[in-house]
Amino acid sequence: MKNLLGGKGANLAEMSSLSIPVPPGFTITTEVCTTYNEIGRRAVIALLKEDVENAVAAIEGVMGTNFGDSENPLLLSVRSGARVSMPGMMDTVLNLGLNDESVLGLVKRTKNERFAWDSYRRFVQMYGSVVLGMKPETKEDEDPFEEIIDRLKAKRHITLDTQFAVQDLQDLVYDFKDAVKKSTGHDFPTDPWEQLWGSVVAVFNSWNGNRAIVYRKINGYPSDWGTAVNVQAMVFGNMGENSGTGVCFTRDAGTGVNEFNGEYLIDAQGEDVVAGVRTPQQITKMGSERWAKLARIEETERFEAYPSLEERMPKIYKELYAYQEQLEKHYHDMQDMEFTIQNGKLWILQTRNGKRTGAAMVKIAMDLLKEGELNEKEALLQIEPNKLDELLHPIFDTKALKRANVIAQGLPASPGAATGKIVFFADEADKFKNTILVRIETSPEDLEGMHLAKGILTARGGMTSHAAVVARGMGKCCVSGAGALKINYKKRMMTVGEQEYHEGDWISLNGSKGHIIEGKVATMEPSLSGEFGELMELSNKFTAMKVRTNADNPKDAQIARNFGAQGIGLTRTEHMFFEVDRIKAMREMILADTVKGRKLALEELLPMQRSDFEGIFEAMNGYPVTVRLLDPPLHEFVPHQLATQKELADDLHISLAAVKNKVAELQEFNPMLGHRGCRLGITYPEITEMQTRAIMEAALNLKAKGIDTKPEIMVPLVGTVAEFESQSKIIRETAEVVFAENEDKVEFTVGTMIEVPRAALIADAIAEKADFFSFGTNDLTQMTFGYSRDDAGKFLSVYLAQGILKNDPFEVLDKEGVGQLVNLATKLGRSTKPNLKIGICGEHGGEPSSVAFCHDSGMDYVSCSPYRVPIARIAAAQAAIK
Ligand code: ADP
Ligand code: MG
Ligand code: MG
């Protein structure tokens, strides 16, 4: 029904069938909108004319008024409503049907001059803005109607619309009409039918307005959906002291607590409550008292000036309370409702499933389950997995955020909130107590500093840039790719437009929105309420896939375990080499000219790697751990600054020239496609040997302590069977040597990443040799699209804005293209090895729609950063239920 009638129209129809008082009306379907786009205004009006006239006549019958009548006019509201709510797409036109004659009829019938002229001036303004295109395009442009209102208010020395005298309202109507004539060259239409068709067509047109097109593209809604048009009799909240209008929620949208709440205004219409000119009043007495306390308003003043609806109109309140209960029960979800009171009679104008915070989402779903309103599957399906993120990171105080000055926008790379003083160098991240590390981009050398900083901000790089991936793994707030920042490392400052920000200045980051905020914003700890745990427990009942984590150290492994991860799907061994004591040995290894020299350096690294693995295996006690052999190009490990190059030369007792030579030698034009992955292990087999030895010795040491480990060794960047076989042979032979030395053994497997398109194409042959597959979808996406992960930020934002891509493919798995390779490789792999274990370890493993894809393609597990484990668990359960 929503597809045809739009969300608003469908719910209005449903409410009226539940005998809830909804003003009579009708809905022109979304199909008509599509037809309009094909046949145009004149033909569509001809098509609709008879039906619409009959429908209006039916409303007249119910209301006892006549559309276009000058004595007893029926007034209408014309409202848009797509399948899904599309905020800001189009405004509503209220009080349609008024003209210079019928306004007098309205005065006579209602004996309320003020009300009639107030309605009229509202109508002319709305019609002018929405239908005649006089709404300003940008924030800078003046709204011609608001200008007229402001001028008159200044003249009368008043601040509120309600303070206008009748004469003022009449003046507004005439001034508005003059403005219309000036702007459009035509008189304001007096014929109600012309007004009605004008509004209907304006709603249709809004579907193809720029704003709506952009909104659709971003959200992936097809352009052929169209919008419905709701035409409805007006009910009036602006008839005086016995009338009003408001919005309400069946539960608290911030906390989820089951408390009816909302706001209203006496003698008001439409969006007055949210417009912020008058102070809205609370609906419940409890809410009103709570509000007064925060606003520091004494009880006597509260009761006199801002009484709750419960106190002011107890009968209406009771009725409203009953409807909200009924509607929530009917929709089995928290409702967000709009209502109007006309002369002591309550009308419901809208209901929809209310928007809510992550915390409220969890609480409401679990409460509805306990109340018997939802069954277990329904409760799980009500969770938007991504919103759980809010529960896993520190958050800004909502009130503080309202006053925040957002100076620039970047990508919401890692959610959460961070406030700190600016530092521009990773090794100075502890210069102040709380710091935000601001970099053009980050590199593995910055790891320690990133860890120390409260948040990370980069001018370059996308959602899978180094900064973004590492920050998400750390659960640290990060905004990446903020192109508006100009960073000057030398002067230790950055500029945004004209404004300068220096080292030590306070800034704040909203990692969930990508906002960069000037100054300090208060944060609060997230509250992991009991319902959250219950929800995760519930998901286990339904999940088919396992959820593992990507973790490179025992701490992350432990965090992920606490979030319910069942193993590690990816341990990146390179991160282990960046710590101060190790990077030196690593550089020695790289700079060695001989195999012997290299082996000596690797021997230094061996015990360090071994103890790292012991820590990780121990944290994952009993669960599988996939370790990936060294992957990144070696040039990432050598120093690029003169000072550090000198230091290294001194350390190793070699000439600076030799160091520089080696660095130049390692330089690659295209490191992403260069000497990395298994290509390293093939050219430097000693590295693979050392890593295998470290893994096996760690496992044996733990075994001696009674801790069960089952390492899964993973070869990166394989594109041919021979590549895999070369590495697999070294691994197996090294393992045998270690086992012989120790006279003991552990079980292990050797598998491969599938991240080069060629590997996906020959997956049947690879599967004959490999024990498991793990899709490295970051690289697979990079190579399938031919977009460099490190450079894509420059054009991806344009692609997304223009709708050339619907999603950032590094964030949401591209099912259409990359997904085909995944499905193909899965099918081919299992054709030669039917129970081949298959998982994913790219960033996509924590993205809900990608998790659903993985489920459908038959994977055994997904693996994601620790803080996304709960999200993946819910997404996996939902995929299994659907
Ligand atoms: P939105 O989609 O932005 O919520 P609506 O179509 O709900 O827009 O209209 C905005 C407001 O106009 C409503 O909240 C309500 O206050 C008012 N309104 C709409 N239809 C009517 C009506 N039939 N009678 C009185 N007020 C109405
Ligand atoms: Mg509404
Ligand atoms: Mg890779």
Side-chain angles (χ1 to χ4, degrees), residues 595-772:
V595 173
K596 204 173 144 230
R598 216 157 29 234
K599 283 196 165 164
L600 273 173
L602 283 166
E603 264 166 41
E604 273 181 67
L605 287 167
L606 174 69
M608 304 177 193
Q609 276 240 295
R610 188 173 54 219
S611 74
D612 285 336
F613 289 134
E614 282 175 14
I616 292 171
F617 293 161
E618 194 165 358
M620 274 293 152
N621 185 2
Y623 288 105
V625 174
T626 304
V627 180
R628 179 179 70 187
L629 300 179
L630 191 67
D631 185 32
L634 296 180
H635 81 87
E636 283 193 12
F637 297 93
V638 293
H640 294 273
Q641 280 152 351
L642 190 61
T644 28
Q645 287 179 350
K646 267 190 190 139
E647 224 172 86
L648 182 64
D650 289 350
D651 271 356
L652 300 184
H653 308 293
I654 53 175
S655 70
L656 176 63
V659 171
K660 281 185 153 176
N661 264 343
K662 192 73 189 180
V663 171
E665 210 177 279
L666 291 172
Q667 199 64 43
E668 292 179 305
F669 282 110
N670 205 336
M672 276 295 181
L673 301 176
H675 192 182
R676 53 176 287 229
C678 65
R679 299 158 204 172
L680 282 176
I682 289 168
T683 46
Y684 302 108
E686 316 78 66
I687 300 178
T688 306
E689 274 172 40
M690 183 280 283
Q691 292 202 291
T692 306
R693 177 173 280 275
I695 294 165
M696 295 308 165
E697 288 181 354
L700 286 169
N701 287 349
L702 288 187
K703 189 181 173 190
K705 285 204 270 172
I707 296 168
D708 174 33
T709 35
K710 194 174 169 225
E712 304 172 338
I713 301 182
M714 180 156 79
V715 184
L717 226 65
V718 162
T720 70
V721 178
E723 279 174 328
F724 179 75
E725 283 189 293
S726 139
Q727 292 298 287
S728 157
K729 184 160 174 276
I730 297 170
I731 294 164
R732 291 187 189 281
E733 284 174 3
T734 308
E736 282 315 315
V737 172
V738 176
F739 294 160
E741 285 168 10
N742 288 271
E743 294 175 358
D744 196 2
K745 50 165 66 182
V746 290
E747 261 184 70
F748 69 98
T749 56
V750 185
T752 182
M753 305 270 292
I754 302 286
E755 55 184 339
V756 175
R758 192 178 192 280
L761 298 170
I762 59 158
D764 45 351
I766 296 178
E768 279 177 15
K769 312 287 175 190
D771 296 326
F772 63 88

Side-chain angles (χ1 to χ4, degrees), residues 8 79 271 338 350 352:
K8 198 182 290 166
R79 321 167 67 182
E271 313 277 58
E338 297 173 0
Q350 189 171 339
R352 63 186 151 201

Side-chain angles (χ1 to χ4, degrees), residues 533-546:
E534 292 166 23
L535 173 73
M536 298 314 302
E537 194 73 22
L538 181 61
S539 74
N540 286 347
K541 265 196 182 171
F542 300 95
T543 321
M545 282 189 298
K546 296 242 183 318

Side-chain angles (χ1 to χ4, degrees), residues 181 494 503 519 764 860:
K181 177 99 194 236
M494 64 171 189
E503 180 180 282
D764 45 351
D860 298 295

